[in-house]
Amino acid sequence: SQQGEEDPQALSIQEGENATMNCSYKTSINNLQWYRQNSGRGLVHLILIRSNEREKHSGRLRVTLDTSKKSSSLLITASRAADTASYFCATGPPYGNNRLAFGKGNQVVVIP
Amino acid sequence: DVKVTQSSRYLVKRTGEKVFLECVQDMDHENMFWYRQDPGLGLRLIYFSYDVKMKEKGDIPEGYSVSREKKERFSLILESASTNQTSMYLCASSFALGKSTKNIQYFGAGTRLSVL
């Protein structure tokens, strides 16, 4: 099955800076999603971008999708200490069931 | 708000015990999923169910079984727990593609299982 791969794996930034994470995948997709996981908790959906979209915004989040390169990026602007978490990308297949293929996650630490 | 509730946050079991992990969702979702999460390996799908009494194997089903007798409840069963099943287990649910164009998954808080 296809799988998202985030890059870089770990990021440490100062509060107020921007954080950028990348995700690559291998096969065709219907959509790509980003989730956040706070330490020891479940994942929370952040944003979904469809395969026919190139960019999407939600508050301080900006997601881009380049289907020709099979890659996506998540930008968090003006980071806060509360943004400290692991971020996962997940891809949905173009047909069939509702399985998502998750990447291994990208740990972000925002230093106050 | 969607709520996915996992019955235990922490669980400690002995090798060879039969273990039940329960998950309940309150949004009338058709799909339910069980994942395990291990450091460096991300989320791996164990089993999922797209309807009552229906199930499909995920990527790592060995050593696990599932039960879905009611739409809102999805149970993960470890028939004979082993130490290599020590992990964080996450349950999730979502609408079927026919009901929603977005296959967003909603997760429970997770169960951290230790098998000694």
Side-chain angles (χ1 to χ4, degrees), chain A residues 1 3 30-31 33 35 37 39-45 47-48 50 56 86 88 91-105, chain B residues 9-10 31 33 35 37 40-43 45 48 56-59 88 90 94-98 100-110 112:
Chain A
S1 58
Q3 189 166 23
N30 173 275
N31 62 65
Q33 303 177 34
Y35 288 79
Q37 183 181 35
S39 181
R41 307 297 294 184
L43 278 70
V44 175
H45 179 261
I47 193 166
L48 178 152
R50 298 190 191 281
K56 203 156 182 185
S86 292
F88 294 83
T91 52
Y95 51 84
N97 58 50
N98 297 122
R99 287 182 62 162
L100 292 176
F102 285 86
K104 290 183 171 58
Chain B
R9 291 280 286 129
Y10 300 95
N31 301 318
F33 307 83
Y35 297 90
Q37 183 178 25
L41 297 178
L43 270 73
L45 181 65
F48 72 100
E56 271 195 39
K57 292 180 180 179
D59 300 318
M88 171 74 126
L90 293 166
S94 73
F95 281 119
L97 270 175
S100 169
T101 57
K102 297 181 180 181
N103 54 347
I104 294 170
Q105 292 187 12
Y106 298 85
F107 283 79
R112 190 165 292 281

Side-chain angles (χ1 to χ4, degrees), chain B residues 18-67:
Chain B
K18 190 168 185 175
V19 181
F20 293 86
L21 302 183
E22 306 284 347
C23 176
V24 177
Q25 51 94 3
D26 66 357
M27 274 301 293
D28 203 34
H29 284 165
E30 289 76 21
N31 301 318
M32 296 189 75
F33 307 83
W34 275 108
Y35 297 90
R36 65 175 283 177
Q37 183 178 25
D38 301 287
L41 297 178
L43 270 73
R44 293 181 292 167
L45 181 65
I46 304 171
Y47 267 98
F48 72 100
S49 168
Y50 50 90
D51 201 350
V52 175
K53 296 192 187 296
M54 306 303 288
K55 62 185 179 186
E56 271 195 39
K57 292 180 180 179
D59 300 318
I60 50 163
E62 297 79 19
Y64 304 93
S65 62
V66 289
S67 171

Side-chain angles (χ1 to χ4, degrees), chain A residues 1-5 12 16 21-22 25 39 79 86 88-89 93 96 98 105 108 111:
Chain A
S1 58
Q2 60 190 322
Q3 189 166 23
E5 294 280 346
S12 184
M21 289 153 270
N22 298 308
Y25 57 92
S39 181
S79 62
S86 292
F88 294 83
C89 70
N98 297 122
V108 174
I111 302 164

